[in-house]
């Protein structure tokens, strides 16, 4: 692995928290993951030498003051927070803080403890209040001095604020995802998956009402994740006559032998006349017009409950650390900022820019300017169909990954809607050369979204040895474009087909690869379909055994085994150490770790977790380390070992993987359609340029199409990994939050950016059809 260029990097050791006091509070509605954010703020703050305080019960605790409400936090006080839902430090509405007198009390309580750095976790109302507090700060201090408080204006002259958005609705502009949204989707999908079994048994229609008074994100995304028949959201009111269209859709699905219907309604859904559409309205409509046995389920606050998902634990931990860095780097002239997620990148945005845009959305909704609200919020629909008819083949390659079926379903339905004839290839390229190719229709992929594994079948067979037979099959079936969904083998397959273009013109067609592997080891993308599901499975399994003193878990896969999974696991389940193959191991490392665990077990936190990657070291095996820790831990802690195995590949896909697969597959099909139109000349498709054979991946902030031939230089083919892995930067973060001394690269942090307004095409169909 190449050594880092230290001259161009910045490290957090240069940022000291000595003499600073940081307070963290949660305000507004609770959201899963808030505790993980609090934990990260506390531990990062203590690590850099600052004092960190809890403010309990939100702004109410700040106004009331006292040791019970403003309490200094310790390292151990946040140890069990990571897996807990809600907010342990409490949240409350506070009318008094909205008054000048209330804010004056809050300022007095903070300055008494020397607190001039505030981390606020909440929605736009909470963050707006924090910014107003900051703007009034100097005036409030002057009033306190005049009242004889004896405070030092110079020392406490500026209040620094950093916000993190905690909201299950994902209704804050400036961030792709708010803390708690992914967990809420998990709750919704768990309910929907359970309901679908009983609905199918009795041939019922279920109307599900989900939260979203002003924002339809949960309704829209959960509808995509479960393959609902119809969805109604406030941003896109259906036109007059939607009732008849919906009933026709439901009736057609039943005629197609579908035994159930799912309709998802956001609680704030309205029609084009701004008349509320309730779940009971929809039920009565279906019963009256179709006579279907129909039930209503209102999820309510169950969406806020439960433990946070893997995504929310990671997001909240990363955001919490970034918030502390922002507070350490802020100056008197730095505006209040909010830590946001852009793609896979943590960014800092001016707090009030985000709040103002969020309020513009709300204003547009209130004034029935729905199209404007949709553009501001960033929702969009697929573009209209093209007219030329092409044959597009889709296949899975490599090991199965949860979310593959959702990607295939999306590809098939988007392809058909754009005028293509879609072909499914069974068992990857092995099935391709054997002729296991057949046309796949719209109804054939019904219900695929929530199913794990690969319904098309998948093999690791590479095409090189059978390239002639594959070319024959492509010619026989007149395949004009290829969509390959898979892991590292899929990348190798596309490289081989690209090289075969010089011999076989059949491969001179647009080809696109979607990364799908639990190992997350595909160059050119930060995220792969299936990795999130595997993380959730490991976390759930790990926590079920976490009551004993110590557990040692072995991950299943190969030389890379998604180092990301081993890296991120600490953020998820409080692991104490993680073995990764690119790093040097020695007895001294294990000795220091055993000593660290021994000291920990003697204290209040009597549990630990060590994770080992399968191929991390050929000598330091699972059994060896288990025996070492068992011997050294005698009298202090017990040791157990568990091997996760193929359970990491199994199970239903998480909401993230369902939607990630659906989204990138739709984008890939649109790209293929564009390339087919561009390369169609004189009655045939001919594409032989580098940019006609691409991988679609998430690169930091955006989905990017990258020619596979250009990814060769970024790939370590021997170890089957990218030469640079973004998630290795999280290793020092893992060590910091576990109280190990380390160095942390903060080169990507520190730049305050601005909110970008996306310009979206005009929506072509405002109906709720899925």
């Amino acid at each position: 692995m190449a050594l880092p260029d230290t001259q161009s990097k910045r490290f957090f050791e240069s940022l000291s928290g000595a003499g600073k006091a940081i307070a963290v509070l949660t305000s507004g509605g609770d959201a899963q993951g808030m505790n993980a954010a609090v934990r990260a703020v506390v531990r990062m703050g203590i690590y850099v030498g600052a004092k960190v305080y809890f403010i309990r019960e939100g702004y109410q605790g700040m106004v009331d003051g006292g040791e019970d409400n403003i309490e200094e936090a310790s390292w151990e006080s946040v140890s069990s927070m990571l897996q807990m839902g809600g907010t342990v430090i409490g949240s409350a509405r506070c009318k008094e803080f909205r008054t000048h007198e209330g804010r004056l009390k809050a300022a007095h309580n903070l300055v008494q403890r020397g607190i001039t750095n505030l981390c606020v976790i909440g929605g736009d109302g909470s963050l707006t209040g924090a910014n107003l507090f900051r703007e009034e700060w100097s005036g409030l201090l002057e009033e306190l001095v005049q009242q004889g408080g004896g405070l030092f204006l110079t020392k406490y002259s500026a209040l620094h604020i950093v916000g993190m958005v905690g909201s299950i609705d994902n209704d804050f502009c400036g961030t792709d995802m708010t803390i708690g949204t992914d967990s809420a989707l998990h709750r919704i999908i768990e309910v929907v998956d359970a309901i679908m079994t009983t609905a199918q048994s009795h041939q019922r229609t279920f109307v599900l009402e989900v939260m979203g008074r002003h924002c339809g994100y949960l309704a829209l995304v959960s509808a995509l994740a479960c393959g609902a028949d119809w969805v109604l959201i406030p941003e896109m009111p259906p036109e007059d006559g939607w009732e008849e269209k919906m009933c026709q859709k439901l009736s057609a699905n039943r005629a197609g032998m579908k035994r159930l219907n799912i309709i998802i309604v956001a609680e704030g859904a309205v029609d084009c006349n701004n008349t509320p559409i309730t779940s009971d309205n929809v039920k009565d409509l279906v019963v009256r017009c179709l006579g279907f046995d129909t039930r209503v389920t209102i999820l309510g606050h169950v969406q806020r409950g439960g433990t946070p998902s893997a995504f929310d634990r990671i997001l909240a931990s990363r955001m919490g650390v970034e918030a502390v860095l922002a507070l350490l780097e802020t100056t008197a002239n730095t505006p209040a900022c909010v830590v946001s997620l852009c793609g896979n990148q943590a960014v800092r945005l001016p707090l009030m820019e985000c709040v103002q845009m969020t309020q513009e959305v709300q204003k547009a909704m209130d004034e029935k300017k729905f199209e404007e609200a949709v553009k501001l919020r960033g929702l969009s629909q697929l573009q209209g169909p093209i007219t030329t008819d092409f044959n597009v083949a889709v296949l899975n390659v490599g090991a199965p990954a949860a979310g593959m079926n959702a990607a295939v379903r999306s590809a098939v339905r988007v392809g058909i809607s754009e005028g293509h004839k879609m072909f499914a290839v069974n068992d990857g390229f092995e099935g391709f050369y054997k002729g296991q190719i057949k046309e796949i229709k719209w109804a054939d992929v019904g219900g695929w979204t929530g199913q794990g594994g690969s319904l098309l079948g998948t093999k690791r067979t590479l095409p090189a040895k059978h390239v002639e037979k594959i070319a024959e099959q492509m010619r026989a079936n007149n395949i004009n474009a290829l969509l390959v969904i898979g892991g590292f083998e899929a990348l190798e397959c596309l490289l081989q087909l690209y090289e075969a273009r010089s011999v076989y013109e059949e491969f001179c067609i647009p080809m696109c690869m979607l990364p799908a592997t639990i190992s997350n080891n595909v160059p050119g993308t930060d995220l792969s379909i299936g990795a999130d599901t595997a993380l959730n499975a490991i976390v759930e399994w790990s926590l079920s055994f976490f009551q004993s003193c110590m557990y040692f878990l072995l991950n299943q896969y190969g030389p890379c085994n998604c180092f990301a999974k081993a890296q991120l696991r600490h953020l998820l389940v409080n692991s104490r150490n993680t073995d990764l193959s690119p790093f040097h191991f020695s007895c001294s490392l294990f000795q220091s770790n055993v000593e660290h665990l021994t000291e920990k077990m003697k204290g209040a936190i009597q549990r630990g977790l060590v994770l080992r990657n399968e191929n991390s070291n050929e000598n330091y095996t699972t059994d060896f380390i288990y025996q070492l820790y068992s011997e050294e831990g005698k009298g202090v802690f017990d040791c157990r070992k568990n091997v996760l195995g193929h359970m990491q590949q199994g199970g239903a896909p998480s909401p993230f993987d369902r939607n990630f697969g659906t989204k990138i597959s739709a984008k890939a099909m649109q790209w293929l359609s564009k390339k087919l139109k561009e390369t169609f000349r004189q009655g045939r498709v001919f594409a032989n340029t580098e940019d006609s054979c691409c991988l679609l991946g998430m690169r930091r902030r955006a989905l990017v199409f990258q020619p596979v031939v250009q990814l060769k230089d970024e790939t370590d083919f021997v170890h089957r990994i990218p030469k640079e892995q973004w998630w290795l930067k999280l290793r020092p973060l893992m060590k910091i939050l576990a109280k190990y001394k380390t160095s942390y690269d903060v080169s990507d942090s520190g730049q305050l950016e601005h909110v970008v307004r996306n310009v979206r095409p005009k929506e072509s169909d405002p109906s709720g059809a899925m």
Side-chain angles (χ1 to χ4, degrees), residues 462-621:
L462 301 181
K465 293 182 179 180
H466 312 285
V467 66
E468 184 176 353
K469 291 182 179 180
I470 293 173
E472 290 177 2
Q473 292 296 334
M474 294 188 72
R475 186 167 57 250
N477 291 278
N478 190 29
I479 301 299
N480 306 122
L482 199 61
L483 180 64
V484 181
I485 305 169
F488 197 88
E489 293 89 354
L491 177 65
E492 293 178 303
C493 289
L494 253 65
L495 285 170
Q496 291 179 3
L497 295 182
Y498 177 82
E499 292 171 358
R501 281 177 167 180
S502 59
V503 180
Y504 300 96
E505 287 191 359
E506 287 81 3
F507 301 120
C508 293
I509 59 173
M511 293 184 283
C512 185
M513 172 194 163
L514 302 180
T517 166
I518 70 168
S519 296
N520 201 30
N521 64 325
V522 178
T525 186
D526 291 350
L527 303 172
S528 298
I529 300 168
D532 183 74
T533 302
L535 278 172
N536 278 288
I538 295 166
V539 170
E540 183 179 352
W541 199 72
S542 301
L543 290 176
S544 66
F545 290 97
F546 212 35
Q547 298 302 313
S548 294
C549 291
M550 177 178 169
Y551 280 92
F552 182 86
L553 300 183
L554 168 65
N555 291 336
Q556 181 215 340
Y557 279 112
C560 67
N561 185 32
C562 176
F563 300 137
K565 283 195 298 182
Q567 282 286 22
L568 299 179
R569 201 83 26 71
H570 170 74
L571 303 177
L572 309 180
V573 292
N574 274 326
S575 67
R576 306 308 304 174
N577 191 29
T578 308
D579 295 347
L580 300 172
S581 57
F583 298 95
H584 175 68
F585 295 100
S586 65
C587 288
S588 60
L589 181 147
F590 293 109
Q591 180 180 353
S592 64
N593 186 242
V594 169
E595 292 172 354
H596 186 90
L597 274 170
T598 302
E599 288 302 312
K600 176 188 174 185
M601 294 295 182
K602 290 178 180 178
I605 311 171
Q606 297 185 347
R607 60 184 181 186
L609 182 66
V610 177
L611 303 170
R612 179 183 181 272
N613 183 276
E614 184 184 25
N615 286 354
S616 56
N617 188 284
E618 61 182 354
N619 295 314
Y620 296 123
T621 64

Side-chain angles (χ1 to χ4, degrees), residues 189-190 192-193 196 222 224-227 402-403 406-407 449-451 529 533 652-663:
I189 296 306
E190 287 168 5
V192 173
D193 286 350
M196 290 179 75
S222 59
L224 285 170
C226 69
T449 308
Q451 298 196 43
I529 300 168
T533 302
S654 68
F656 181 93
D657 279 328
R658 298 186 195 196
N659 291 300
F660 186 53
T662 298
K663 178 180 179 179

Side-chain angles (χ1 to χ4, degrees), residues 693-706:
C693 183
C694 286
L695 175 145
L696 174 57
M698 171 64 74
R699 267 286 171 85
R700 292 170 67 88
R701 302 193 182 191
L703 291 171
V704 182
F705 289 93
Q706 303 150 95

Side-chain angles (χ1 to χ4, degrees), residues 272-308:
C272 59
N273 300 311
N274 209 33
T275 303
I277 301 174
T278 68
S279 52
D280 286 331
N281 294 154
V282 176
K283 173 193 172 181
D284 293 341
L285 173 66
V286 174
V287 172
R288 183 176 67 254
C289 296
L290 299 175
F292 291 171
D293 185 6
T294 307
R295 298 287 189 274
V296 171
T297 298
I298 300 176
L299 273 66
H301 283 76
V302 71
Q303 295 160 88
R304 294 189 186 277
T307 58

Side-chain angles (χ1 to χ4, degrees), residues 127-128 131 161 163 172 336-338 349-356:
L127 299 180
T128 301
N131 189 69
I161 289 178
F172 192 81
C337 74
V338 60
L349 298 171
L351 188 152
M352 288 314 297
E353 284 188 18
C354 298
V355 169
Q356 286 166 5

Side-chain angles (χ1 to χ4, degrees), residues 21-61:
I22 300 171
V24 57
L25 65 90
T26 54
S27 180
D30 64 297
Q32 306 97 320
M34 279 184 166
N35 291 321
V38 171
R39 170 183 175 271
V41 170
V42 169
R43 290 200 164 178
M44 190 65 175
I46 294 174
Y47 194 91
V48 298
K51 280 189 174 182
V52 185
Y53 292 84
F54 295 132
I55 298 180
R56 299 188 181 277
E57 311 307 332
Y59 287 114
Q60 189 66 57

Side-chain angles (χ1 to χ4, degrees), residues 677-715:
K677 292 177 69 176
E678 291 175 352
T679 58
F680 185 71
R681 299 288 185 275
Q682 299 179 344
R684 60 171 293 193
V685 173
F686 185 82
N688 65 348
T689 57
E690 288 184 359
D691 65 353
S692 63
C693 183
C694 286
L695 175 145
L696 174 57
M698 171 64 74
R699 267 286 171 85
R700 292 170 67 88
R701 302 193 182 191
L703 291 171
V704 182
F705 289 93
Q706 303 150 95
V708 293
V709 69
Q710 295 179 12
L711 294 175
K712 292 174 68 174
D713 294 337
E714 302 180 23
T715 306

